[in-house]
Amino acid sequence: MKVSYLGPKGSFSEIALLNYFDNNAEPIPLASIADVFESIENNKTDHGIIPIENSIEGSINNTHDLLINSNLVITGEIELLINQCLLSKGNTIDNIKVLYAHPQSLGQCQNYIRSNLISAEVLPVISNSEGAKMITNSEEGCIGSEKLSADYNLNILDSSIQDFSDNITRFIIIGTQTAEKSGEDKTSIIVSPPDSQDSGSLFKVLKSFADYDVNLSRIESRPSKKGKWSYVFFIDLEGHCDDKNILESFNSLNQQNIEIKILGSYPIAE
């Protein structure tokens, strides 16, 4: 089984993949989250694993936007405690003049950077692993996992540099096959009201779930990209899409011409 992820080797996505699939998968590193989607759609990999939200920095917008137009389904999830490290070929923070990191990691470590790397030029990169690959001398550093130090022969200058200790990223597993019902499931959907600017449009969505005792664990809006100030809502529900109360709530939404896209029902992360 081939599983694609945002690489290169050593990324937190790879760590999440290894934790979720154990030794039952061949990891395939790719250059972007969009490439992960395409690899599954083109039958080059069986599954993909991608970040969707972080407890400090919030949602990964790119992932959400790709889910809007994709026919792939979410088949699972895993939560990973993120320990951000400062890495370099050198041995001291004082020598760091250039810092590479993914924008999410920069956001997670902004207080540390302001306090300890005041004069460093900060350069965002597509992944922390890509930043590690770019380091050529002791005046360059990157933010990333402990695994990166071994994969790219770098020294750990400091660890746990994230602003909050409970720094957790949730990753989703995507594929083409619907997950089996487990009894402890979550359902992710996208809801598209006919006019998200209409007074009470969000209330109508929420009421349809409240009327049938469907608990929402997460709701977030994203631009629909179909018109100015037009939005869709990403919603996580407790339960499986085959559960009676969820089916009844979906029927209520359909009767109001509110479009629903089911992204998948899958076991809740432990």
Side-chain angles (χ1 to χ4, degrees), residues 74-75 177-185 240 242 265-267:
I74 303 173
T75 64
Q177 303 297 319
T178 302
E180 295 182 4
K181 194 171 183 177
S182 71
E184 292 291 334
D185 296 298
H240 194 278
D242 289 336
S265 291
Y266 49 93

Side-chain angles (χ1 to χ4, degrees), residues 29-209:
L30 296 176
S32 70
I33 294 175
D35 289 340
V36 173
F37 275 81
E38 290 179 6
S39 72
I40 306 166
E41 292 165 346
N42 295 330
N43 298 316
K44 293 180 179 178
T45 59
D46 303 294
H47 298 279
I49 186 163
I50 50 177
I52 190 166
E53 64 174 331
N54 176 263
S55 60
I56 296 176
E57 281 298 290
S59 294
I60 315 297
N61 291 336
N62 188 22
T63 295
H64 285 78
D65 291 342
L66 289 164
L67 285 169
I68 292 174
N69 296 314
S70 175
N71 292 322
L72 300 179
V73 294
I74 303 173
T75 64
E77 67 174 1
I78 182 173
E79 295 182 355
L80 185 69
L81 182 64
I82 304 297
N83 176 27
Q84 299 283 15
C85 299
L86 177 63
L87 309 169
S88 177
K89 290 187 178 296
N91 295 303
T92 175
I93 297 176
D94 296 336
N95 290 341
I96 302 297
K97 295 182 179 179
V98 177
L99 179 68
Y100 304 109
H102 186 277
Q104 276 274 331
S105 294
L106 292 173
Q108 293 167 25
C109 306
Q110 55 187 307
N111 292 337
Y112 180 90
I113 294 169
R114 280 199 296 263
S115 300
N116 298 278
L117 296 161
I118 302 172
S119 59
E121 180 184 7
V122 177
L123 298 178
V125 289
I126 196 168
S127 71
N128 289 332
S129 303
E130 191 64 34
K133 286 177 60 178
M134 296 171 68
I135 293 177
T136 60
N137 59 65
S138 62
E139 294 185 346
E140 297 175 325
C142 73
I143 295 175
S145 67
E146 292 181 12
K147 189 175 186 298
L148 281 181
S149 67
D151 289 342
Y152 297 94
N153 192 30
L154 300 172
N155 299 319
I156 300 177
L157 303 185
D158 207 348
S159 61
S160 298
I161 67 172
Q162 61 271 10
D163 297 339
F164 299 93
S165 58
D166 55 343
N167 182 26
I168 296 172
T169 294
R170 184 166 73 99
F171 295 82
I172 55 173
I173 293 82
I174 54 174
T176 58
Q177 303 297 319
T178 302
E180 295 182 4
K181 194 171 183 177
S182 71
E184 292 291 334
D185 296 298
K186 173 189 292 185
T187 297
S188 295
I189 62 174
I190 301 174
V191 173
S192 305
D195 184 359
S196 60
Q197 297 184 68
D198 183 35
S199 176
S201 63
L202 180 57
F203 172 79
K204 293 174 184 177
V205 172
L206 298 178
K207 185 176 186 302
S208 295
F209 293 121

Side-chain angles (χ1 to χ4, degrees), residues 208-209 211-215 237-252:
S208 295
F209 293 121
D211 286 346
Y212 295 98
D213 295 322
V214 178
N215 191 40
L237 318 170
E238 291 184 5
H240 194 278
C241 62
D242 289 336
D243 293 345
K244 181 181 178 181
N245 62 329
I246 291 181
L247 288 172
E248 289 174 335
S249 67
F250 287 175
N251 183 55
S252 172

